[in-house]
Amino acid sequence: MSPPLTAEQIAELRDEIDRILARLERSMAVSDKATATVELDQTAVGRLSRMDSLQNQSMANNLAERERARHAQLRAARARIDAGSFGVCEACGGAIEAGRLFVFPETTECLRCE
């Protein structure tokens, strides 16, 4: 079992989560514009261009969905920090490895339980 996180590590992770959240929020603002409905006016664009537009919209929607999901996970991680339960595996109650949290601060389980 790994040792619990130090106060310094938790502060560093809190700062990192805040940086990631800010970056995601900026990206989500841009993504919202990219996911606007594609115009399918037959006279405005050729068939291949419409297909490209639909594919681009689909990729933008997928990216936006992933960003929203990670944003929610990171906000939950931030709430766990505030509640004092950050770094505790939700499955076994053991400590989550610090290295894992520095790579995936939103994780809720240790490597054994994942």
Side-chain angles (χ1 to χ4, degrees):
M1 178 185 268
S2 57
L5 294 168
T6 65
E8 184 178 290
Q9 288 174 316
I10 290 173
E12 190 175 337
L13 282 160
R14 176 185 287 125
D15 291 343
E16 180 62 17
I17 288 170
D18 289 343
R19 281 191 294 274
I20 296 169
L21 282 169
R23 190 173 58 238
L24 271 173
E25 287 163 3
R26 286 190 304 271
S27 179
M28 288 166 57
V30 171
S31 294
D32 287 342
K33 294 175 187 170
T35 58
T37 304
V38 174
E39 179 64 41
L40 292 178
D41 181 2
Q42 296 289 340
T43 61
V45 188
R47 188 176 120 232
L48 291 177
S49 295
R50 284 193 308 278
M51 289 172 47
D52 285 341
S53 294
L54 288 168
Q55 183 177 20
N56 289 341
Q57 181 185 23
S58 176
M59 290 186 330
N61 284 335
N62 289 336
L63 174 62
E65 182 66 29
R66 286 192 309 270
E67 287 175 334
R68 283 190 296 274
R70 183 147 195 237
H71 188 269
Q73 292 169 341
L74 287 164
R75 287 185 56 85
R78 186 70 161 83
R80 287 192 302 278
I81 288 174
D82 295 340
S85 61
F86 183 77
V88 177
C89 177
E90 290 182 352
C92 72
I96 299 174
E97 299 79 9
R100 178 173 172 79
L101 289 168
F102 277 100
V103 175
F104 301 109
E106 67 272 19
T107 194
T108 60
E109 294 181 337
C110 67
L111 282 173
R112 289 184 313 273
C113 295
E114 182 176 66

